[in-house]
Amino acid sequence: MPNPFSRVEPIPDHESRTPNSGYPPPFGDEEYRDRLTRVREALSKRKIDLLWTGWPDAMLYLHGYEVTWYRPNRNPRAGTAVHVEHDKQIFLGGEDAVFSAASDRMPIPAQRERDSARRIVDILKGEGWLRPGTIVGLEYGRYLPTPLMSRELESAFAAAGAKLVDGTDVVGMVRNIKSPAEIAACEQAARIADSGLRAVAEAIRPGVTSAELYAAALFAMAKAGGEVPAISQAVQPGRPRTTHLLPSRRQIEVGEPF
C-alpha cells in the first residue's frame, strides 16, 4: 500500500516553538472583541442583561484565561461577568501572571469562603451592572461552579433584586460558529495530529502497550508544536470494543482492532 503519511510535511521550528520571553496570547485583541460582541448579541436575543460564568471553557473562549485548577469549592478562584450593554467583561479572581484579554481584572476579596458570592454581587452592583430587576443568567448546566456555590450565588443575586434565568447555552452556542482565526488554529491542530498518527503507525506492533503508543503520539505532537490535548483517550485499545477506554499498560495483540 502507498505510504498514507507521504503528504504530511514537517512543521517548521518557528511554528512549533516560541521563545519564553515572547509567549503570545492564544488569539489577538480583535478576535476577543468579536467574541464578546457576539456573546452580548446572544444575551440580547435571550433577553438576559448579565451573564455570570465560572465555566473554564467559557472563560478560555471569552478572554483566554487557562490554568490547571479552578478550585471547585465554595470560594471560586475565577469568574467572568458579561453585560449586554457594556463593551467589556469583568474578570474576577484568577492568577495575575496568567494571560487574560479582559481589560477589567479584579480579585475576589473574600476573607471567608461563605462571603464569596456576596462579594461578587457587591462588585457588580458597584459597577452599576446589577440592580433590582436585572435579569441574570447563570450556567446551571455546567460543572463549575459547584451546586453549593451556585446556590449561594443564586441567593446573593436574588437578595440584590435580580431575576435569575438559565444562561447555560449562551457561550456554548456562540462558540459553535468558528471565526477565520479559529479555523486556522483547527487546521494547524490537524497538522500536529498527523504527526502523532504517524508516530503511532511507526511504533505499533504486538506487545506494545497502548500507553506506550500514546506517549509516542504525545511526544511527536509536542515536537510539532502541540500542547496539552483536550481528550486524553486519544490512543485506545480495541478490546473491549468501546471508544471510552484510557491508554493503559495492557499489551496490543495480533489482529486486534485498534
Side-chain angles (χ1 to χ4, degrees):
M1 294 181 62
N3 179 6
F5 299 101
S6 60
R7 297 175 61 188
V8 177
E9 298 180 356
I11 296 176
D13 281 351
H14 74 272
E15 294 183 17
S16 62
R17 288 170 173 75
T18 302
N20 185 55
S21 59
Y23 198 84
F27 294 95
D29 291 341
E30 183 178 354
E31 173 72 16
Y32 290 116
R33 283 195 297 268
D34 180 66
R35 293 178 182 185
L36 178 59
T37 296
R38 293 194 292 126
V39 169
R40 290 173 60 208
E41 290 172 350
L43 289 176
S44 179
K45 291 178 181 178
R46 296 278 293 273
K47 301 187 183 307
I48 297 174
D49 299 317
L50 171 66
L51 176 70
W52 170 261
T53 177
W55 183 35
D57 299 45
M59 291 189 286
L60 178 61
Y61 180 77
L62 282 166
H63 51 85
Y65 183 78
E66 182 181 33
V67 291
T68 59
W69 189 46
Y70 294 84
R71 193 173 181 181
N73 57 14
R74 298 182 74 164
N75 185 10
R77 283 292 179 92
T80 301
V82 176
H83 196 285
V84 69
E85 296 179 355
H86 295 274
D87 189 21
K88 69 174 185 177
Q89 51 191 317
I90 299 176
F91 177 35
L92 300 181
E95 300 178 35
D96 290 340
V98 180
F99 169 81
S100 169
S103 57
D104 281 32
R105 297 184 67 167
M106 308 178 192
I108 300 177
Q111 297 176 352
R112 300 188 306 274
E113 291 191 348
R114 291 179 180 271
D115 291 339
S116 298
R118 180 176 58 81
R119 291 177 182 270
I120 289 168
V121 166
D122 286 344
I123 290 172
L124 297 176
K125 287 168 63 177
E127 287 286 320
W129 285 23
L130 182 63
R131 55 178 61 94
T134 299
I135 301 175
V136 176
L138 297 179
E139 295 178 313
Y140 294 116
R142 305 301 181 192
Y143 61 91
L144 284 179
T146 62
L148 184 62
M149 185 64 203
S150 291
R151 287 195 293 271
E152 294 184 2
L153 283 167
E154 280 185 314
S155 297
F157 278 116
K163 177 183 177 182
L164 299 171
V165 298
D166 185 11
T168 298
D169 294 333
V170 173
V171 177
M173 293 300 292
V174 171
R175 289 175 65 208
N176 285 339
I177 307 300
K178 302 302 180 188
S179 68
E182 289 176 291
I183 292 171
C186 291
E187 291 172 344
Q188 181 72 351
R191 294 176 63 199
I192 292 169
D194 284 342
S195 66
L197 291 170
R198 180 169 55 189
V200 169
E202 292 172 352
I204 191 169
R205 61 183 58 87
V208 173
T209 69
S210 57
E212 288 177 293
L213 293 177
Y214 177 57
L218 196 61
F219 180 73
M221 289 189 290
K223 293 281 286 184
E227 297 181 350
V228 179
I231 300 176
S232 58
Q233 66 265 37
V235 172
Q236 301 169 5
R239 293 176 181 157
R241 289 176 179 268
T242 172
T243 58
H244 296 101
L245 287 177
L246 292 167
S248 73
R249 63 183 183 274
R250 196 182 66 77
Q251 292 177 299
I252 304 297
E253 299 176 1
V254 175
E256 177 178 332
F258 177 78

